[in-house]
Amino acid sequence: MKPVGIERPEAALIAFDGVSKVFGLGASSVRALDHVDLRIDQGEFVAIMGPSGSGKSTAMNIIGCLDVPTSGRYLFKGLDVGSLDRRGRALLRRRFLGFVFQGFNLIGRTSALENVELPLTYRGIPADERRKRSLLALDRVGLKERASHAPSELSGGQQQRVAIARAIVSEPSVLLADEPTGNLDTRTSREIMDLLSDLNRQSITVVMVTHEPDMAACARRIIRFVDGHIESDNRTMETA
């Protein structure tokens, strides 16, 4: 396994260099990504959009080190992720990436605090330090007073806030959000987007997949995929 954490100051945080991803073989193969070039720098808030089958989810899986390109290179902080074995990619995810999903993915039989502590438990952080850092993460999302509540005692929006706290408790460089408002009503969705924007202003890079234009408009950059290619890549009015 090659070491994780090699950084080059001039390198993009995330870079695709001619990345292609092909599923299947022969006549039944599907090219989900086709020679995609992409650069995302530290501190950006990027929304990735596109119709079903456009390649946006495949791109997100590669960024999250959950999959690897068939060809081309994915560079994270200048490190060729393709040079890592499965364990090396897992270490990179654990050290640098936080994940937020549409379905919250909380453990129902444990408290909000225990859910947030989970990534630190995997890293072997002592109990006192886990609790301290997890309470701080819950405080950042406005839920410190609900630390002892089970997920079933929380609203959908509160559950997503717990999921975000769990994602940021390890202080990741990048927060990857896959349809984070997909199960929420409009008002609660706006609250979650305000929270993601606030975290981005606190130096966390946010990359979000969404099919909702109103939510994508909260990002500072919108990338649209179509048929495995980037169709457009635009800054929003706020930062244009």
Side-chain angles (χ1 to χ4, degrees), residues 132-204:
K132 177 182 176 182
R133 290 171 62 173
S134 297
L135 286 171
L136 285 173
L138 283 169
D139 193 35
R140 289 179 74 181
V141 302
L143 280 182
K144 185 176 181 180
E145 74 284 357
R146 299 288 184 124
S148 63
H149 287 61
S152 61
E153 300 173 307
L154 302 174
S155 68
Q158 289 170 334
Q159 290 184 59
Q160 191 61 295
R161 286 175 179 269
V162 173
I164 292 170
R166 182 183 58 193
I168 65 173
V169 72
S170 300
E171 300 182 352
S173 299
V174 184
L175 183 61
L176 300 174
D178 189 359
E179 301 282 4
T181 62
N183 286 340
L184 305 175
D185 60 45
T186 301
R187 180 184 63 81
T188 307
S189 294
R190 176 60 63 175
E191 292 174 356
I192 293 300
M193 294 310 304
D194 287 344
L195 174 58
L196 293 178
S197 295
D198 186 52
L199 292 171
N200 176 244
R201 286 190 289 268
Q202 296 173 36
S203 79
I204 296 179

Side-chain angles (χ1 to χ4, degrees), residues 222-225 229-234:
I222 300 174
I223 298 172
R224 296 182 185 275
F225 277 81
H229 298 89
I230 293 178
E231 181 188 54
S232 62
D233 184 349
N234 298 308

Side-chain angles (χ1 to χ4, degrees), residues 39-82:
R39 178 188 176 110
I40 297 174
D41 292 318
Q42 180 70 46
E44 291 202 77
F45 186 167
V46 179
I48 297 178
M49 303 189 73
S52 178
S54 64
K56 64 182 186 299
S57 294
T58 301
M60 185 67 116
N61 286 341
I62 292 174
I63 291 171
C65 300
L66 301 172
D67 204 349
V68 293
T70 302
S71 62
R73 297 192 305 161
Y74 166 37
L75 304 172
F76 186 87
K77 294 191 173 188
L79 173 68
D80 185 353
V81 177

Side-chain angles (χ1 to χ4, degrees), residues 1-166:
M1 181 192 69
K2 296 188 179 182
V4 173
I6 300 172
E7 299 185 29
R8 301 174 189 170
E10 76 281 2
L13 178 61
I14 291 165
F16 281 14
D17 179 12
V19 165
S20 294
K21 181 64 181 181
V22 179
F23 295 100
L25 297 172
S28 63
S29 66
V30 175
R31 185 172 289 271
L33 294 175
D34 190 9
H35 295 91
V36 172
D37 294 320
L38 173 65
R39 178 188 176 110
I40 297 174
D41 292 318
Q42 180 70 46
E44 291 202 77
F45 186 167
V46 179
I48 297 178
M49 303 189 73
S52 178
S54 64
K56 64 182 186 299
S57 294
T58 301
M60 185 67 116
N61 286 341
I62 292 174
I63 291 171
C65 300
L66 301 172
D67 204 349
V68 293
T70 302
S71 62
R73 297 192 305 161
Y74 166 37
L75 304 172
F76 186 87
K77 294 191 173 188
L79 173 68
D80 185 353
V81 177
S83 69
L84 302 175
D85 60 16
R86 186 184 300 272
R87 182 166 179 266
R89 293 194 300 274
L91 289 173
L92 190 152
R93 284 196 303 272
R94 190 181 306 170
R95 180 172 176 183
F96 294 108
L97 306 177
F99 295 85
V100 179
F101 303 98
Q102 177 177 340
F104 314 145
N105 292 353
L106 301 178
I107 300 174
R109 65 181 182 275
T110 62
S111 67
L113 179 63
E114 290 167 326
N115 270 280
V116 176
E117 285 183 328
L118 196 58
L120 302 181
T121 301
Y122 291 148
R123 293 177 65 173
I125 305 297
D128 288 348
E129 180 67 14
R130 289 202 309 267
R131 180 180 176 85
K132 177 182 176 182
R133 290 171 62 173
S134 297
L135 286 171
L136 285 173
L138 283 169
D139 193 35
R140 289 179 74 181
V141 302
L143 280 182
K144 185 176 181 180
E145 74 284 357
R146 299 288 184 124
S148 63
H149 287 61
S152 61
E153 300 173 307
L154 302 174
S155 68
Q158 289 170 334
Q159 290 184 59
Q160 191 61 295
R161 286 175 179 269
V162 173
I164 292 170
R166 182 183 58 193

